[in-house]
């Protein structure tokens, strides 16, 4: 019996030892406990981007998701929310993009394609009934013209603000123009337009000269006067669209001198462009450029081409005042697809009645006509009285921009 008890004890303990060995050799290993304790040692605790600490037992050295690009975490000009980074926000919230330049629809709706050509958006004139296009004075709008400068069509320069085509394609030629229902529609009464030149001269009281002038009459201001932006703003508030008169070399220069910043045929193109930009920076709000003198300059192909290219690039119109031969300027403008026109009649205070009659005849023959007059109280009075007679003559007084556009349409 004693021997049997001893044998049983040996067998029992042998079984116990076997079970224990089996447990240690084949049982589940507490791997997670070992890993949780060892992971921080392999990867020192560090805050993730945005200040978020990784959870216990996880390393930041090998994230499952790639870290988003910084631009998606912090868009330009916007900091990420406090405590938030790629660990919880792998992508920036989808915010609507703020437009870099608001759209400013002009009277013609012209936009510039990527290839530089001018395409026409659906024009506002297509919805105008011909029956509403009546003779007299164009009353398409009674509102002041938009305040200038508009930031979307302004470029900073060493000289000051310069006009430019906006990011959405809007041009100063359209944005700053006086709206007209007569611009984009063929038919209706013949159109007559007048540009009053010679404003902005130092010492002149422009407000007194143009007082009472019908709003569709366009005005041209020079680059030499003082307080030009204020003068132009007042004119636009009264409804007048504006041109910039740039000084160009005449035939008898320097006996007849257009001014210290005149564009000259003897200067290299880069210097003429600098002078042009100086003139363009003097004020904002003009739809285009016209010449002050310039018989010699406008006949020189090598001088005209770079200037017209700059005007085209900046979305402006060029109106030659008709005082000199326009053969060269016409050819260059056509080659560059610059919006361009030439005045039909030079209005003179000494014989203005006959010249106004010639303007009427040209409009009836061609559908539209443009006259240019020098600013003087007597001239303004005569033009104002003449405008009041147009309804009975079956003609309509429109802004220069509308006459230019109407001629392009035809």
């Amino acid at each position: 019996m004693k021997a049997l008890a001893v044998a049983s004890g040996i067998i029992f303990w042998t079984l116990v030892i076997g079970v224990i060995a089996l447990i240690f050799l084949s049982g589940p290993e507490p791997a997670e406990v070992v890993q949780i304790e060892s992971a921080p040692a392999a990867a020192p605790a560090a805050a993730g981007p945005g200040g978020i600490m990784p959870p216990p037992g996880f390393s930041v050295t090998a994230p499952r998701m790639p870290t988003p690009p910084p631009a998606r975490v912090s868009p330009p000009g916007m900091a990420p929310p406090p405590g938030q980074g790629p660990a919880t926000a792998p992508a920036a919230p989808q915010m609507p993009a703020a437009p870099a330049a608001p759209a400013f629809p002009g009277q013609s709706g012209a936009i510039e394609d990527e290839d530089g050509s001018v395409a026409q958006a659906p024009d506002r004139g297509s919805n105008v009934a011909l029956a509403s296009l009546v003779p007299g004075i164009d009353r398409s709008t009674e509102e002041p013209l938009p305040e200038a400068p508009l930031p979307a069509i302004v470029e900073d320069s060493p000289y000051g603000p310069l006009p430019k085509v906006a990011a959405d394609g809007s041009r100063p030629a359209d944005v700053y123009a006086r709206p007209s229902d007569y611009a984009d529609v063929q038919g209706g009464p013949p159109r007559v337009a007048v540009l009053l030149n010679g404003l902005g001269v130092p010492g002149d009281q422009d407000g007194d000269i143009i007082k009472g002038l019908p709003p569709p009459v366009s005005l041209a201001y020079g680059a030499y006067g003082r307080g030009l932006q204020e003068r132009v703003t007042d004119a636009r508030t009264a409804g007048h669209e504006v041109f910039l008169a740039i000084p160009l070399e005449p035939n008898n220069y320097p006996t007849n001198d257009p001014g210290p910043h005149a564009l000259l045929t003897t200067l290299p193109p880069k210097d003429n462009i600098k002078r042009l930009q100086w003139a363009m920076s003097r004020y904002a709000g003009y739809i285009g450029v016209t010449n002050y003198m310039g018989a010699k300059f406008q006949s020189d192909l090598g001088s005209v081409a770079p200037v017209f290219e700059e005007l085209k690039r900046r979305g402006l119109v060029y109106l030659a005042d008709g005082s000199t031969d326009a053969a060269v300027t016409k050819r260059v403008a056509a080659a560059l697809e610059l919006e361009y026109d030439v005045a039909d009649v030079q209005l003179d205070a000494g014989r203005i009645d006959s010249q106004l009659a010639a303007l009427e005849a040209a409009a009836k023959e061609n559908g539209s006509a443009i006259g240019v007059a020098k600013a003087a109280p007597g001239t303004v009075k005569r033009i104002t009285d003449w405008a009041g007679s147009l309804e009975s003559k079956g003609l309509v007084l429109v802004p220069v921009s509308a006459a230019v556009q109407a001629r392009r349409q035809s």
Side-chain angles (χ1 to χ4, degrees):
M1 291 295 293
K2 184 176 181 179
L4 181 59
V6 171
S8 299
I10 292 172
I11 293 172
F12 172 77
W13 288 109
T14 299
L15 292 173
V16 170
I17 293 171
V19 170
I20 294 172
L22 183 61
I23 291 172
F24 279 92
L25 291 176
S26 60
E29 180 181 358
E32 293 185 353
V33 175
V34 174
Q35 292 298 321
I36 290 174
E37 296 298 330
S38 62
I52 296 180
M53 296 293 293
F58 289 84
S59 170
V60 297
T61 58
R64 294 180 180 272
M65 298 294 291
T67 303
R72 293 174 62 85
V73 177
S74 298
M78 182 182 296
Q84 180 173 315
T88 57
Q94 296 299 317
M95 301 287 292
F104 299 110
Q107 71 168 27
S108 67
I111 59 175
E112 190 167 288
D113 289 337
E114 293 180 359
D115 62 0
S117 62
V118 175
Q120 295 296 325
D123 54 46
R124 55 186 294 240
S126 60
N127 297 321
V128 176
L130 286 178
S132 67
L133 302 181
V134 297
I137 296 175
D138 182 1
R139 304 292 185 186
S140 300
T141 181
E142 298 293 343
E143 299 295 326
L145 301 186
E147 185 178 354
L150 292 170
I153 51 176
V154 171
E155 173 187 316
D156 291 331
S157 80
Y159 309 103
L162 298 176
K164 71 170 186 177
V165 177
D168 67 354
S170 299
R171 305 179 307 156
D174 301 313
V175 174
Y176 291 138
R178 177 180 172 85
S180 174
D181 292 337
Y182 297 81
D184 300 311
V185 179
Q186 297 186 36
R191 293 125 168 100
V192 289
V194 173
L195 177 68
L196 195 66
N197 208 337
L199 295 166
V201 177
D204 281 359
Q205 298 297 319
D206 300 330
D208 294 338
I209 294 174
I210 66 174
K211 187 176 182 180
L213 195 65
V217 174
S218 304
L219 308 178
Y221 286 80
Y224 294 130
R226 295 187 177 184
L228 288 172
Q229 186 61 68
E230 182 179 357
R231 300 188 192 191
V232 169
T233 298
D234 289 344
R236 289 175 50 77
T237 299
H240 302 285
E241 67 182 16
V242 171
F243 280 76
L244 165 68
I246 57 173
L248 303 177
E249 181 182 354
N251 281 327
N252 56 347
Y253 178 83
T255 301
N256 196 7
D257 190 349
H261 294 275
L263 281 63
L264 306 174
T265 58
T266 55
L267 293 177
K270 65 177 182 179
D271 289 345
N272 277 328
I273 295 302
K274 289 179 181 179
R275 292 187 173 203
L276 173 64
Q277 291 183 349
W278 176 87
M280 290 193 296
S281 71
R282 298 287 285 143
Y283 55 87
Y286 49 88
I287 71 167
V289 166
T290 188
N291 60 292
Y292 173 60
M293 300 189 186
K296 185 173 182 179
F297 191 92
Q298 292 186 114
S299 64
D300 188 273
L301 178 63
S303 298
V304 169
V307 170
F308 277 18
E309 187 175 6
E310 178 75 356
L311 298 180
K312 163 72 176 181
R313 185 172 71 87
R314 296 192 176 278
L316 300 171
V317 176
Y318 188 85
L319 178 71
D321 69 2
S323 61
T324 62
D325 183 21
V328 171
T329 52
K330 281 183 178 180
R331 186 170 44 157
V332 174
L336 294 174
E337 296 184 335
L338 171 69
E339 193 166 1
Y340 169 94
D341 215 321
V342 183
D344 300 277
V345 180
Q346 288 281 304
L347 304 174
D348 186 291
R351 47 194 176 99
I352 191 169
D353 288 340
S354 62
Q355 296 299 337
L356 288 172
L359 185 66
E360 295 172 9
K364 291 177 180 179
E365 180 179 355
N366 303 314
S368 62
I370 300 171
V372 175
K374 294 181 181 179
T379 301
V380 170
K381 175 67 167 59
R382 183 66 192 94
I383 291 174
T384 301
D385 293 341
W386 166 78
S389 71
L390 292 176
E391 183 176 1
S392 63
K393 298 175 181 178
L395 300 165
V396 60
L397 177 67
V398 299
V400 168
S401 60
V404 171
Q405 181 66 16
R407 298 216 275 213
R408 288 174 63 88
Q409 293 289 334
S410 60

